[in-house]
Amino acid sequence: MGKIDIGISSENRIAIAGGLKKLLADSYTLYLQTHNFHWNVTGPQFRDLHLMFEEHYTELATAVDEIAERIRTLDIPAPGTYKAFASLTSIEEVEGVPEATQMVEILTGSHEKVVKTCRAVLAIAQEADDESTAALVGDRMRIHEKTAWMLRAMQ
């Protein structure tokens, strides 16, 4: 491949990609968590939660691809292993199968953690005048804020 020249310095591309790697790890971990809960939810709210969780993990599947492609656009390799994601994510693993109400609480907290990761990446992107990353991260932040709000409303 030829040398990249998109108006963002190498140092800024590395810093932005570093933040995006954390966002990718958080998003992928949240995808797995949500999919797990979709498969294992039980109780009186089964149908509503089962369908909601499916909507959420489907949206996250698209998101992880967009985030990884942005990292590659910056000419930085994107992480793609469980080991890499585990070392980068701020979302904690859940042991066992929690009750449905706990699933909602856990997912609320996980979406809020992703929002915080988005805020950190957004600041880096804005400082580097990287509108493309800022737009992507801003959209992601809005989606996670709204999802957390909807989950909180169920508690």
Side-chain angles (χ1 to χ4, degrees):
M1 284 182 56
K3 184 178 177 188
I4 184 171
D5 183 15
I6 59 173
I8 302 171
S9 71
S10 176
E11 297 80 17
N12 284 338
R13 286 187 298 102
I14 291 167
I16 294 162
L20 286 170
K21 287 177 183 183
K22 291 178 182 180
L23 180 57
L24 178 60
D26 279 357
S27 300
Y28 198 85
T29 303
L30 179 55
Y31 165 84
L32 290 173
Q33 189 177 75
T34 306
H35 214 153
N36 175 28
F37 291 172
H38 165 78
W39 290 329
N40 291 298
V41 68
T42 59
Q45 290 184 297
F46 166 78
R47 181 166 172 71
D48 290 338
L49 291 176
H50 183 75
L51 294 173
M52 179 192 292
F53 296 164
E54 182 175 7
E55 290 172 7
H56 293 175
Y57 77 71
T58 300
E59 193 281 328
L60 283 161
T62 300
V64 296
D65 197 51
E66 291 173 354
I67 297 164
E69 288 177 354
R70 182 63 193 159
I71 295 168
R72 292 301 300 136
T73 299
L74 295 169
D75 201 33
I76 307 292
T81 65
Y82 293 124
K83 183 177 180 179
F85 291 151
S87 72
L88 291 165
T89 189
S90 65
I91 297 174
E92 297 173 22
E93 285 267 357
V94 175
E95 296 292 326
V97 179
E99 297 292 322
T101 55
Q102 290 176 303
M103 288 178 178
V104 171
E105 289 175 20
I106 291 165
L107 289 172
T108 302
S110 294
H111 280 278
E112 289 172 344
K113 286 179 181 177
V114 177
V115 169
K116 291 174 187 174
T117 300
C118 286
R119 289 190 188 287
V121 179
L122 185 60
I124 297 166
Q126 289 172 331
E127 179 69 25
D129 199 26
D130 179 359
E131 183 60 36
S132 296
T133 297
L136 171 66
V137 173
D139 288 346
R140 296 302 320 146
M141 186 167 46
R142 180 182 44 80
I143 290 166
H144 291 287
E145 287 174 339
K146 184 176 181 179
T147 302
W149 160 61
M150 291 183 169
L151 289 164
R152 277 192 309 277
M154 297 185 75
Q155 298 174 21

